[in-house]
């Protein structure tokens, strides 16, 4: 069995905007999934906002090793219940790759705990993505840098917690720079944010972008399921022999215990 990747798409611009539809006639999620499926180790499925539970049932998430998230104009339409469900799966060990405008998604902001704002400009300018962590598995096969001919500028300050690792720093034609590839660990889950990927440019057809996303899926997949249930350890199970002193206030099974 390969790595099971679910590509989630908001699926709005590609149906409502003629320009986006021309570039991504089957939806951005399909194009991103096709790029991953090039790799025999990755099995993909897609899910979109408009499906029941946004296509992210408990069953689907349980059988997802890595979730890829693309959203832009409808972050608020994603239900809080599903966001919480995704967060819990990340804690358990599901990988999460957040793309481009997903910096403002509910799930990314919730996992980061900051505003996740940035500066931006839509001028089709060149983006040069510099590899700043060349030994990292996410940039395997990528040279010192690669370029995206037409990109939306995303620039600093990017209001995120200090990343565990910075993988890419982008330079834009207009002069701004941006931490465009960063990683985090939340619970047992690996998270990768990748900035490039505006809907009106064919960025997900770019071979280097496809390679980065394939590498990122492999890096993010832990194959783990860690259940975080705050277990009570009775005295008889303590590694050293101890006797209870004083009164016990808490009992397993009461509020706060599982
Ligand atoms: Zn954009």
């Amino acid at each position: 069995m390969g790595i099971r990747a679910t590509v989630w798409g908001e699926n709005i611009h590609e149906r409502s905007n003629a320009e986006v539809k021309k570039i991504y006639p089957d939806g951005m999620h399909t194009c991103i999934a096709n790029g991953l499926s090039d790799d025999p180790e990755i099995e993909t499925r897609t899910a979109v906002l408009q499906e029941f539970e946004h296509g992210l049932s408990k069953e689907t998430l349980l059988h997802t090793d890595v979730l890829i998230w693309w959203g832009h104009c409808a972050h608020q339409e994603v239900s809080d219940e599903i966001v919480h469900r995704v967060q819990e799966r990340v804690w358990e060990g599901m990988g999460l790759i957040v793309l481009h405008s997903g910096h403002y998604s509910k799930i990314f902001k919730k996992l980061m705990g900051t505003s996740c704002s940035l500066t931006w400009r839509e001028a089709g300018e060149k983006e040069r993505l510099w590899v700043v962590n060349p030994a990292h598995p996410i940039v395997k096969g990528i040279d010192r840098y690669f370029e995206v001919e037409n990109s939306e500028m995303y620039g600093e300050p990017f209001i995120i917690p200090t990343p565990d690792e910075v993988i890419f720093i982008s330079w834009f034609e207009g002069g701004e720079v941006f931490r465009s590839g960063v990683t985090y660990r939340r619970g047992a889950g690996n998270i990768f944010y990748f900035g490039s990927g505006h809907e009106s440019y064919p960025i997900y057809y770019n071979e280097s972008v496809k390679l980065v996303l394939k590498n990122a899926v492999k890096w993010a997949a832990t194959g783990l399921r860690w259940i975080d249930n705050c277990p009570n350890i009775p005295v008889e199970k303590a590694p050293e022999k101890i006797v209870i002193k004083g009164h016990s206030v808490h009992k397993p099974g009461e509020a706060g215990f599982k």
Side-chain angles (χ1 to χ4, degrees), residues 72 100-101 152 154 198-199:
H72 203 164
H100 187 59
S101 39
E152 179 180 25
Y154 270 14
H198 187 56
E199 67 274 13

Side-chain angles (χ1 to χ4, degrees), residues 37-72:
S37 300
D38 281 356
D39 194 305
E41 285 179 46
I42 303 173
E43 292 171 14
T44 58
R45 67 161 82 182
T46 60
V48 292
L49 174 71
Q50 296 78 17
E51 286 174 68
F52 177 65
E53 297 187 336
H54 312 320
L56 300 175
S57 67
K58 285 182 181 166
E59 195 63 17
T60 297
L61 287 175
L62 195 59
H63 296 103
T64 296
D65 298 309
V66 182
L67 177 65
I68 295 95
W69 194 276
W70 197 98
H72 203 164

